[in-house]
Amino acid sequence: VVLDEEDGKRVLQQSLADGKLYRWLCSGSRQSMLVESVVQCIPREHPRTRHGGRVRFDRTDIMPKYHQAIVAALSLISRRPQRFLFLGVGAGTLPLFLLQHYPRTSMTGVDCSSGVLSLARRYFGLHSGPRLRLHVRTAWDFLKSHAV
């Protein structure tokens, strides 16, 4: 089921026969979609909303495979990182996963699309806070303004 579309991105919700529920952030055409983020949803006992119902997110498992590769590479670093910079946030599933697993790390997310960040907030639970700051800018503009 398509929940929403904005800035060339599409939020899909998939209910499997075993009762599991997933949300996907995809780009591209209906014939050739690119999966950018996937998260398993756990329904809550609240009334449904126009955003496909209230859910919480299972962030113990990370998908898709390229997110798994990033997390695996981080395990090879001898010192735990103090900061992360995400140039392109998408649904925010990777930053939100890392917030749980790196509790002393601060993160900055930069995305050129306010529409995509809006989808991420509404459908994937993305939120900014003291450890995750979000910026709507191009990566180039952000890097130019933060060069040392």
Side-chain angles (χ1 to χ4, degrees):
V1 175
V2 177
L3 296 179
D4 207 343
E5 294 183 56
E6 200 163 330
D7 286 352
K9 307 290 183 185
R10 185 173 293 119
V11 177
L12 306 175
Q13 186 162 288
Q14 177 187 32
S15 299
L16 301 181
D18 63 3
K20 290 184 179 176
L21 183 67
Y22 293 90
R23 286 200 181 152
W24 304 64
L25 180 68
C26 302
S27 59
S29 68
R30 291 185 188 270
Q31 293 79 22
S32 177
M33 271 198 258
L34 172 68
V35 175
E36 296 185 16
S37 296
V38 182
V39 68
Q40 184 177 354
C41 304
I42 301 165
R44 290 184 177 173
E45 298 296 324
H46 292 289
R48 294 184 62 79
T49 68
R50 68 182 187 94
H51 297 305
R54 296 255 186 226
V55 297
R56 59 188 174 90
F57 302 96
D58 178 359
R59 303 216 190 271
T60 58
D61 192 18
I62 185 120
M63 299 173 270
K65 294 282 187 198
Y66 73 94
H67 284 174
Q68 294 171 359
I70 292 168
V71 171
L74 287 171
S75 70
L76 301 175
I77 299 171
S78 60
R79 285 187 22 200
R80 289 182 78 78
Q82 294 179 349
R83 294 185 305 247
F84 288 110
L85 173 62
F86 300 94
L87 299 175
V89 176
T93 55
L94 183 59
L96 291 172
F97 176 86
L98 293 173
L99 276 173
Q100 287 184 347
H101 297 283
Y102 290 84
R104 293 188 179 101
T105 304
S106 63
M107 303 180 192
T108 301
V110 180
D111 205 292
C112 64
S113 171
S114 61
V116 170
L117 289 177
S118 177
L119 290 174
R121 286 182 182 101
R122 285 182 293 188
Y123 297 105
F124 295 91
L126 181 66
H127 55 280
S128 58
R131 293 184 44 231
L132 175 60
R133 302 206 187 281
L134 299 171
H135 302 272
V136 179
R137 301 175 74 171
T138 66
W140 178 250
D141 287 341
F142 181 84
L143 291 172
K144 282 192 314 188
S145 67
H146 287 80
V148 285

